[in-house]
Each structure stands twice: as C-alpha cells, then as structure tokens.
Amino acid sequence: MTAEASPMTAEASPMTAEASPMTAEASPMTAEASPMTAEASTTAPASPGELILPSYQRPSGVHPPLDFSRYRSTALRHPKRPLVLLPHRLTEITGPLLGDDLITPTDADLTTQHGGEPQGQRIIVTGRVLDSDGRPVPDTLIEIWQTNAAGRYRHSREHHPAPLDPNFDGIGRCITDSAGRYRFVTIQPGAYPWGNHHNAWRPAHIHFSLFGRAFTQRLVTQMYFPGDPLLPLDPIFNSVPDEQARQRLIARFDIDLTQPEWALGYAWDIVLRGRGETVFG
C-alpha cells in the first residue's frame, strides 16, 4: 500500500511522489486504527518490550499489481522481497502537525501563486474524502501535483520539450473540512509523452496524496478526466484490474460547480476503503 512501486504512483516522471516538494517519503502504515489504513491482517513477531506492528493486506482485484509488464519500469521498481516493518518512532507517529499559519487558501489555488495568470483552461476540482460507510474524514492533508497546460512538469529532470509556464508550479495542498470536503482551483493539465512504448502519451491527470494521522499513513492515487481518448491506451490506467474501479478514477464534470465565464467544475470523491474504495498505489 505504499506509494513506492505501484503503477498508480507518479510514473517514471520527474514529478514523482518521492521527488515532489509537496510530499514526504512513503513508509509502512502505522498500527493505529485509522480511516487511512486497510484492515489489519497479521502481526509481526516481536521480542519482549518491542513494539508490535500489524501488517496490512493489499486488497486483491482492485488495486494495480506492483509488477505490471505493460508499465515497463515496474520491473525495476517493485519489491522483490517481503516488506520489512520498521519501528515507528516519534517522527513517524506525531505528524503532520498543521495549522492555519502553515496551510493557507493560496495553497489550494494554483492559479494565484504568482504575479500573473497561468496559461490554460481554469478548472475547479472538489469532492469529499469518505470512509467505507460514507462518513466524512475531516482534517486530512491532501497534496496534488500535475503538469501545466502544455503537459510539462516543473522539475529539473523533466525532458518534455513543452514550454514552462512562469506563473504555474503545478503543486497545491489543502486540509479537508469538517464535512471531509476539499477544493482546488487549478489549470487543466496537458497530456505528455513518457517513453514507455512507441508513441506513448499519458492522459491528462492530477496526482493526489493523502495523509492520515501520521506521516506513515499515506495513500497516493491519480484522478483522470471524462472523455479522454488516451485512457483506453494508457497502461497505468489499465493496470487497475477492475473496470468499475477504473471508472472511479475518472472525475465527473459538474455544470453546477462550473462558474460562468471563469472555470469548469469537476467532482471527485475519494473513498479510503470498502466496496467503493478509490484505487491507491
């Protein structure tokens, strides 16, 4: 369930979850029961006085396999040995600690972070973070990263010869409110080539990272857009074995969220677990 080696993480792109300035390093989930974790299945052996950590099974049939032949780099990136449960010390169990002085409204509006307007179609992306029973999950840190309208990430390892936008960094964050709701204002991301196979292009998408009660409780996924002709051709999207689960990764265009003469609106809920859970990497 970590973000490290699954097709649903930031593929072989310069703005991977590891490289993004908006994210922290993924690690095994904590023992504390939280909506951000899967159901505990087994317990790691421990000597007297040692912290006992449960492990969490990766649900089968919904999430993509860690090694997916059509996504070539997973052959090198997926774990080849059993995961090792690391001890959770103070740093792992006491963060993130956030407040109004650290997360501001500007962080969630990617179109106002510079002195000028970014290029491209302005969009609003909003929804709720829910648990398996449809209950809202408040106070969840959500971070996003994406390409600009030309399909380019702002990163030193980016090789796509599309232009950079001086007024768009492509990173944002917010905290869900008491109803579990989040809201971002951003620019419609562009498609980009990624070299996985001949004439390979990633569909437009936004990467989402969610933190639970600690930095070790982190889930990563991607949100796609309706009607994208690249979706049937994309190995990462199609690494999700269940058709209904794939469709849950696609946002819904919402005319009621759309603001006249200003921005298109998209709705996308994130379900942490259960029958209708969102696909995570």
Side-chain angles (χ1 to χ4, degrees), residues 148-180:
N148 63 19
R152 181 165 177 173
Y153 290 106
R154 181 180 291 277
H155 194 273
S156 59
R157 293 176 59 192
E158 173 65 278
H159 301 296
H160 182 25
L164 284 171
D165 187 335
N167 294 311
F168 190 75
D169 291 335
I171 52 178
R173 60 183 179 177
C174 72
I175 298 178
T176 57
D177 62 18
S178 59

Side-chain angles (χ1 to χ4, degrees), residues 141-251:
L141 172 62
I142 300 181
E143 298 174 338
I144 64 170
W145 62 100
Q146 63 169 92
T147 66
N148 63 19
R152 181 165 177 173
Y153 290 106
R154 181 180 291 277
H155 194 273
S156 59
R157 293 176 59 192
E158 173 65 278
H159 301 296
H160 182 25
L164 284 171
D165 187 335
N167 294 311
F168 190 75
D169 291 335
I171 52 178
R173 60 183 179 177
C174 72
I175 298 178
T176 57
D177 62 18
S178 59
R181 187 167 298 279
Y182 72 88
R183 183 179 185 271
F184 290 100
V185 178
T186 185
I187 295 296
Q188 173 80 28
Y192 59 87
W194 62 300
N196 182 74
H197 54 276
H198 175 67
N199 207 13
W201 289 78
R202 291 279 359 253
H205 61 279
I206 298 176
H207 298 272
F208 277 71
S209 168
L210 292 83
F211 284 100
R213 299 174 184 171
F215 280 120
T216 53
Q217 297 174 335
R218 181 180 181 229
L219 298 172
V220 178
T221 188
Q222 298 179 19
M223 186 203 83
Y224 298 89
F225 293 86
D228 193 322
L230 292 172
L231 286 176
L233 306 175
D234 183 52
I236 294 179
F237 177 75
N238 289 287
S239 69
V240 179
D242 183 73
E243 169 64 23
Q244 292 183 341
R246 287 197 298 272
Q247 294 305 309
R248 292 197 294 269
L249 292 172
I250 303 174

